[in-house]
Amino acid sequence: MKLSDCTKADLLWIIKAMCKYDLSDLSLQRALNDLEWEKEQDRLARADQALQTASAASQRYIELLEPYEGMPLIEVPMDVLKQADAALAESRAANQQWAKLMGVKVK
């Protein structure tokens, strides 16, 4: 039997059994703290990736529309507007993902 074959209940039983034999409650608490730290690092890495995605998409939006600055909207080619809209939507979605990961409430 491998650990990957175990159910959640099996794993909890194994942990409790190991604590009886050679691990202390302190060792278990340290392992739990390490797991929490690993999960936090993963969450922060995903939030950082979302922020980079949002920034890159915002930059694409700016670069697409910059040549048409000061011009009437009607003079901007439709394909440029569609690309800019897609970049803006991508940026907003990534910002929402970042806010969710960081626990920030967005109005």
Side-chain angles (χ1 to χ4, degrees), residues 8 10 14 17 23 33 45-46 52 54 59 67-68 70 77 83 95 97 102 106:
K8 181 179 176 182
D10 294 340
I14 290 168
L23 294 177
N33 288 343
R46 287 184 288 130
Q52 290 177 19
Q59 187 61 39
Y68 305 98
Q83 290 177 36
N95 277 322
Q97 182 185 11
M102 298 306 291
V106 179

Side-chain angles (χ1 to χ4, degrees), residues 26-58:
L26 180 60
S27 296
L28 177 60
Q29 189 58 50
R30 284 182 182 157
L32 290 171
N33 288 343
D34 288 348
L35 177 61
E36 183 179 14
W37 186 84
E38 287 292 329
K39 287 184 173 190
E40 181 69 9
Q41 293 305 306
D42 179 57
R43 182 183 68 84
L44 292 174
R46 287 184 288 130
D48 185 54
Q49 181 60 45
L51 198 56
Q52 290 177 19
T53 299
S55 178
S58 294

Side-chain angles (χ1 to χ4, degrees), residues 78-98:
M78 185 55 71
D79 65 320
V80 172
L81 290 174
K82 287 180 181 179
Q83 290 177 36
D85 186 53
L88 188 59
E90 182 183 356
S91 177
R92 286 181 177 160
N95 277 322
Q96 287 176 346
Q97 182 185 11
W98 177 87

Side-chain angles (χ1 to χ4, degrees), residues 53-69:
T53 299
S55 178
S58 294
Q59 187 61 39
R60 275 197 319 277
Y61 174 83
I62 291 167
E63 289 170 358
L64 283 165
L65 295 179
E66 193 172 36
Y68 305 98
E69 190 172 334

